[in-house]
Amino acid sequence: MIDVIDLKKNYGNLEVLKGINVTISEGEKVAIIGPSGSGKSTFLRCLNCMEDPTGGSIIFEGEDLADMHVDINLHRRHIGMVFQQFNLFNNKTVIQNIMLAPVHIRCSERTQALRKAFFRKIFNCFRKEKLPLPDSLPTKRQIIAKERAHAEELLRRIGLETKADVYPSTLSGGQKQRIAIIRALAMNPKVMLFDEPTSALDPEMVGEVLDLIKQLANEGMTMVIVTHEMGFAREVATRVLFMDGGTILEQGPPQEFFSHPQNPRTQEFLSKVL
Amino acid sequence: MGNFESKLRNFWDIFVHQNGSAYVLTGLKNTVLIAVFGLLIGVVIGTLIAVVRVFPKYRTLPRILNGICSFYVGLFRGTPIVVQLLVAYYVLLPLFGANWPSLNVCILVFGLNSGAYVSEIMRGGIQSVDPGQLEAGRAIGLSYSIAMTRIVVPQAVKNILPTLGNEFISLIKETSVVSFVGAADLYVAFNSIGSNSYEFMVPYLVMALIYIVLVLLISMMIKLMERSLRKSDRRN
């Protein structure tokens, strides 16, 4: 599903990623672990081009996202991302947070379709064989109603339907992060990227967020998770990558990875954190 | 204080019976006109400059525009407003052979000048919004312009508006230098009342009062505005 080929990223003279090759197939849950400064967050952020790669390519659904001519916004709609700092939109209520992107994108698709239909209608006057006009489009109000229903359904799923109309500043960290996750889900993404989703949370709230991620994993969502929660990685991941110094030093299925690490650097790291 | 009483009576006489009030009203009108239209022009110019300066600078065109804008800001922040007025009125106007009334020149110069300041206010306001907000918008698939206008700018406005109010207040006060190019503002009105009676104490005191009342009114409006903007900060 995602093919990463020789991915490189430099900040000035600092080489953060030194040529990474990974293939992530559909339904996989990949956990990325490693010491801080090893480039794991940078790698994750390169996957949807939040950081533009310096070299190499990222093939997602047959297109190279690292190519600057690709419309990255189209592809990002299929790649959900969850941040360490939640990043809920502070000026929007919870339900507006969830609906904003889907409504905007459906509405702009509708505008484009209307424009196309309009020109086709005009040109049809001069054509012998009339081209078919598109079926009737949903009105803006219908789009909003549909997305609102979807958002409410997602909120019900995490049990926060009563919080629909409050602003994010009134929520706890765990609630914010769970809403950030369903905000990404509202776009029906094919992959989800998690950038240390529980690192900024109170210990008490880590559980509820991990539970939600686990649920998604069980539903078959493809995921890439940068995490420091080794227990979680062992339980949920189907593959664990260990990164250090901008390269992937070791990878494997979690049971094998955690019980019999091969690389000495991995052994050292695991002995410190486990 | 008997002396003061007679001064007061003297001022009142001129103010009411010798057309002084009309002078003051014209002056007040001009002062407010220059400040309001100056700020309006300033906001338009400031917005344009702020957009250019915040825009990512990967390509050549944004870089060139950015250079022009920082030159503009440096120029207008680096010279006193009096100098700008004098240069505009006594150097540039004759140079181009234009024959504008001094009030228009004042509005334009104050607009250009506050444009430089407003652009910095707006840039600061936009850049003080957590970069994660833009990032979250981009990550979900919104374009740069949509993420900016729907998410970042509404939050920046909350930072910008109170400071913009301060800019308006300082504009009101700075207009007192327009007499350098012969525009009739509050200062000119009270000065002429004073010259009529050879007595400046009361006119200048009243002038100070009017400025204070103006500024207090504006700060009250800013406070009201801020309160309505604070909706999303705490519990609603």
Side-chain angles (χ1 to χ4, degrees):
Chain A
M1 185 168 219
I2 305 180
D3 277 311
V4 181
I5 303 163
D6 198 28
L7 178 68
K8 289 192 177 108
K9 174 72 187 173
N10 303 348
Y11 291 109
N13 289 327
L14 182 69
E15 262 191 317
V16 183
L17 299 178
K18 299 170 184 165
I20 289 186
N21 292 287
V22 182
T23 301
I24 296 163
S25 26
E26 197 163 347
E28 258 196 306
K29 292 104 182 88
V30 180
I32 304 175
I33 61 174
S36 49
S38 59
K40 50 192 192 312
S41 275
T42 309
F43 169 60
L44 191 78
R45 290 164 58 82
C46 279
L47 287 182
N48 66 347
C49 289
M50 294 307 288
E51 307 282 347
D52 290 318
T54 323
S57 30
I58 298 152
I59 314 289
F60 175 69
E61 299 189 309
E63 284 206 73
D64 184 3
L65 302 189
D67 182 358
M68 292 303 264
H69 300 290
V70 168
D71 185 358
I72 188 68
N73 294 328
L74 289 180
H75 294 288
R76 279 183 183 151
R77 290 170 196 173
H78 305 300
I79 307 178
M81 188 167 200
V82 176
F83 299 86
Q84 186 177 352
Q85 299 295 340
F86 329 131
N87 292 346
L88 290 182
F89 306 137
N90 294 326
N91 58 327
K92 306 269 179 204
T93 60
V94 166
I95 195 138
Q96 285 170 340
N97 260 281
I98 303 168
M99 288 164 59
L100 174 69
V103 167
H104 175 78
I105 286 159
R106 298 290 163 267
C107 281
S108 62
E109 279 170 0
R110 174 178 178 271
T111 315
Q112 268 170 19
L114 279 179
R115 196 178 304 145
K116 197 174 157 197
F118 175 74
F119 283 113
R120 182 166 281 186
K121 216 183 250 174
I122 290 179
F123 286 123
N124 268 354
C125 301
F126 309 105
R127 284 193 185 104
K128 273 197 183 134
E129 286 169 38
K130 310 288 186 202
L131 291 173
L133 290 171
D135 304 333
S136 66
L137 292 158
T139 61
K140 276 190 182 170
R141 194 168 293 178
Q142 283 167 338
I143 292 174
I144 292 173
K146 192 174 155 231
E147 293 302 336
R148 177 176 286 277
H150 188 200
E152 278 166 354
E153 184 194 314
L154 286 167
L155 274 175
R156 250 194 309 278
R157 166 178 182 169
I158 58 168
L160 289 179
E161 61 270 30
T162 53
K163 299 285 186 187
D165 295 314
V166 305
Y167 285 96
S169 55
T170 61
L171 300 173
S172 75
Q175 291 172 332
K176 281 185 196 170
Q177 192 62 301
R178 285 187 290 151
I179 287 164
I181 292 172
I182 61 166
R183 178 177 68 178
L185 279 183
M187 299 291 295
N188 299 319
K190 295 174 180 153
V191 191
M192 291 275 281
L193 310 178
F194 294 87
D195 189 358
E196 303 193 18
T198 56
S199 296
L201 292 174
D202 289 344
E204 212 185 346
M205 295 164 178
V206 170
E208 58 188 71
V209 172
L210 291 185
D211 282 344
L212 178 58
I213 300 177
K214 252 179 251 174
Q215 269 182 38
L216 294 181
N218 292 337
E219 286 163 18
M221 175 70 76
T222 314
M223 297 180 174
V224 185
I225 310 165
V226 171
T227 186
H228 293 295
E229 304 275 340
M230 296 301 153
F232 175 71
R234 190 197 295 247
E235 190 181 341
V236 173
T238 55
R239 179 154 54 127
V240 182
L241 304 185
F242 177 73
M243 282 184 74
D244 192 22
T247 50
I248 295 175
L249 289 183
E250 188 168 351
Q251 53 177 304
Q255 297 81 11
E256 222 168 283
F257 178 89
F258 284 107
S259 46
H260 307 291
Q262 305 295 321
N263 191 301
R265 182 72 187 91
T266 319
Q267 290 163 358
E268 188 197 338
F269 178 78
L270 288 178
S271 72
K272 278 180 193 159
V273 295
L274 285 182
Chain B
M1 289 307 273
N3 195 13
F4 187 74
E5 253 171 51
S6 76
K7 282 176 180 173
L8 207 60
R9 213 173 305 122
N10 206 347
F11 172 76
W12 189 248
D13 189 48
I14 295 178
F15 189 76
V16 178
H17 302 300
Q18 295 181 26
N19 228 5
S21 54
Y23 266 132
V24 171
L25 275 183
T26 325
L28 188 64
K29 191 193 79 188
N30 285 349
T31 293
V32 173
L33 264 185
I34 295 172
V36 168
F37 282 100
L39 189 72
L40 283 183
I41 297 175
V43 167
V44 172
I45 294 178
T47 311
L48 291 178
I49 295 181
V51 166
V52 169
R53 299 199 82 176
V54 170
F55 203 78
K57 295 161 197 73
Y58 299 126
R59 306 230 173 96
T60 329
L61 183 67
R63 275 196 201 163
I64 295 172
L65 287 177
N66 190 50
I68 295 172
C69 287
S70 29
F71 174 74
Y72 176 92
V73 172
L75 185 73
F76 277 92
R77 295 208 306 175
T79 50
I81 182 85
V82 182
V83 174
Q84 290 163 18
L85 274 176
L86 293 177
V87 169
Y89 195 67
Y90 292 112
V91 180
L92 293 181
L93 274 197
L95 218 57
F96 292 109
N99 189 20
W100 286 11
S102 55
L103 186 69
N104 295 12
V105 178
C106 288
I107 289 177
L108 189 64
V109 170
F110 272 91
L112 292 174
N113 179 280
S114 81
Y117 286 93
V118 171
S119 78
E120 287 297 289
I121 293 172
M122 291 189 167
R123 190 171 67 107
I126 291 172
Q127 285 177 345
S128 68
V129 174
D130 174 16
Q133 298 282 314
L134 177 65
E135 230 167 47
R138 293 307 307 275
I140 213 166
L142 300 176
S143 66
Y144 177 81
S145 56
I146 295 295
M148 274 312 245
T149 50
R150 299 287 283 273
I151 298 157
V152 177
V153 170
Q155 296 181 49
V157 166
K158 247 191 293 186
N159 306 332
I160 291 170
L161 271 186
T163 332
L164 213 55
N166 286 342
E167 170 69 14
F168 186 49
I169 287 174
S170 57
L171 263 182
I172 287 261
K173 293 184 292 184
E174 275 175 13
T175 51
S176 55
V177 300
V178 297
S179 57
F180 273 82
V181 294
D185 73 329
L186 265 183
Y187 162 73
V188 173
F190 282 102
N191 200 39
S192 67
I193 290 178
S195 321
N196 269 348
S197 60
Y198 309 107
E199 212 308 293
F200 289 93
M201 188 193 245
V202 180
Y204 284 174
L205 199 64
V206 175
M207 174 170 76
L209 271 177
I210 291 184
Y211 273 117
I212 288 179
V213 169
L214 268 182
V215 169
L216 284 181
L217 277 178
I218 298 165
S219 25
M220 247 160 59
M221 287 196 304
I222 298 171
K223 232 174 231 163
L224 283 178
M225 214 158 49
E226 267 182 80
R227 196 171 303 162
S228 66
L229 283 171
R230 229 180 293 142
K231 221 171 34 180
S232 64
D233 280 355
R234 279 284 131 220
R235 31 208 98 247
N236 59 335

